[in-house]
Amino acid sequence: MTAIRGAAAITGAASGIGRALAIELARRGCDLALADRDEAGLKTLATEIGTGRKVSLHRVDVGKPDDIAQFASEATAAHPALGIVVNNAGVALLGAFDEIDQAQMEWLFDINFWGVVHGTRAFLPHLKTRPEAHIVNLSSIFGIIAPPGQSAYAAAKFAVRGFSESVRHELAVAGSPVRLSVVHPGGVATAIARNSRTGVGVTDNARRAQSIERFENAAKTTPKDAALRIIRGIENNAPRILIGNDARFMDLLQRFRPGTYWAPLQRKLEKMAKGAK
């Protein structure tokens, strides 16, 4: 069991799951190192958390390795007892593979995959000095299944899963005090779809609007519930944390039909979309 104490570092902390995690960890007595590009959002969050905890704010673009290295240096200096790192920041990109260009795919990978890798690398030396520590890497249910129109996002999230599982096994073999959990959220009610970029080859604005509407209709889990599930996973040293009934269903479907899960899943999603209307 990893105790919730000391301090935690969270990327993508100004909104969504990261914001909810910051609030819930602060309620449990954690000091916080909060990172995001949205400095105004970080300041609002710090005000909401209040003065009961030590909170440091860091403007970080996780797509830039130097930013992450500086964040790790500043966070561990400000919070020597830091023992939890949550690599949460992420972005989305709408479009089929032939509708997105290489630059867009690399932009997404720099944040969703390399941001996790660089965050893990930057904090790991410090975490190894702690009596117990925990890394939480955010993948997605799209790190377990890969729907059409999500080739870049799914590729990055599958990569996060593979990277995290391998590093977790390495830490275990080495007898390290550092534990690692990989998180696979289903539909969580955040602004990730509304804030997504659109592939250069996507010219249909109605399609973007429909994609956002479908996501928001299907996103039944609140950020708070997602944060509580992650915290339970940290406490229980859970290697894999599935969030939401939809994620659990898709995970089971993929296990039973690893090569043919999309057809029945598409029918279910279309039925859900009609029901929402």
Side-chain angles (χ1 to χ4, degrees):
M1 178 176 179
T2 301
I4 303 297
R5 62 187 177 193
I10 307 171
T11 65
S15 61
I17 294 174
R19 182 180 186 279
L21 262 174
I23 292 169
E24 295 302 325
L25 288 171
R27 287 174 178 169
R28 286 158 177 77
C30 273
D31 293 334
L32 298 165
L34 304 179
D36 205 293
R37 293 180 63 188
D38 179 3
E39 292 180 280
L42 288 177
K43 290 176 182 177
T44 299
L45 174 57
T47 299
E48 183 173 348
I49 291 170
T51 57
R53 305 259 51 90
K54 181 179 180 181
V55 179
S56 61
L57 306 181
H58 309 261
R59 189 192 184 284
V60 176
D61 181 345
V62 300
K64 298 178 178 179
D66 288 347
D67 276 21
I68 296 176
Q70 183 175 350
F71 172 46
S73 177
E74 292 176 352
T76 53
H79 309 277
L82 192 151
I84 298 172
V85 172
V86 184
N87 291 304
N88 165 73
V91 293
L93 176 61
L94 173 66
F97 177 64
D98 60 0
E99 294 175 321
I100 60 176
D101 65 17
Q102 189 64 23
Q104 289 183 306
M105 197 163 188
E106 290 174 1
W107 164 78
L108 183 141
F109 258 78
D110 283 345
I111 296 168
N112 288 9
F113 175 64
W114 288 115
V116 171
V117 173
H118 294 313
T120 302
R121 189 183 300 280
F123 279 97
L124 189 55
H126 170 80
L127 296 179
K128 286 181 176 180
T129 69
R130 304 299 302 156
E132 62 177 18
H134 210 109
I135 298 169
V136 179
N137 289 339
L138 269 287
S139 177
S140 167
I141 190 57
F142 292 169
I144 294 174
I145 67 162
Q150 295 289 342
S151 56
Y153 189 84
K157 294 301 187 178
F158 268 76
V160 169
R161 173 187 168 190
F163 165 75
S164 299
E165 291 182 1
S166 184
V167 172
R168 182 176 72 243
H169 298 153
E170 292 171 1
L171 293 169
V173 168
S176 173
V178 183
R179 304 300 182 94
L180 191 152
S181 298
V182 60
V183 183
H184 297 280
V188 180
T190 71
I192 189 168
R194 194 165 289 276
N195 293 337
S196 65
R197 290 191 180 182
T198 303
V200 294
V202 178
T203 58
D204 184 359
N205 289 331
R207 191 165 132 214
R208 173 179 171 81
Q210 183 186 57
S211 176
I212 293 170
E213 181 183 13
R214 285 188 173 182
F215 173 82
E216 293 181 348
N217 286 336
K220 302 299 184 183
T221 302
T222 67
K224 178 179 179 178
D225 286 340
L228 293 174
R229 177 69 185 88
I230 292 170
I231 290 171
R232 288 198 302 273
I234 295 171
E235 292 175 327
N236 294 324
N237 290 327
R240 174 184 286 194
I241 301 171
L242 291 166
I243 297 178
N245 290 333
D246 53 347
R248 286 184 281 273
F249 167 77
M250 290 183 224
D251 177 54
L252 284 172
L253 179 61
Q254 191 278 334
R255 290 168 188 255
F256 284 111
R257 300 185 61 166
T260 58
Y261 60 78
W262 180 246
L265 183 54
Q266 183 179 31
R267 289 193 295 270
K268 182 177 177 62
L269 293 174
E270 289 174 350
K271 184 177 179 181
M272 289 172 58
K274 290 178 181 177
K277 291 180 181 179

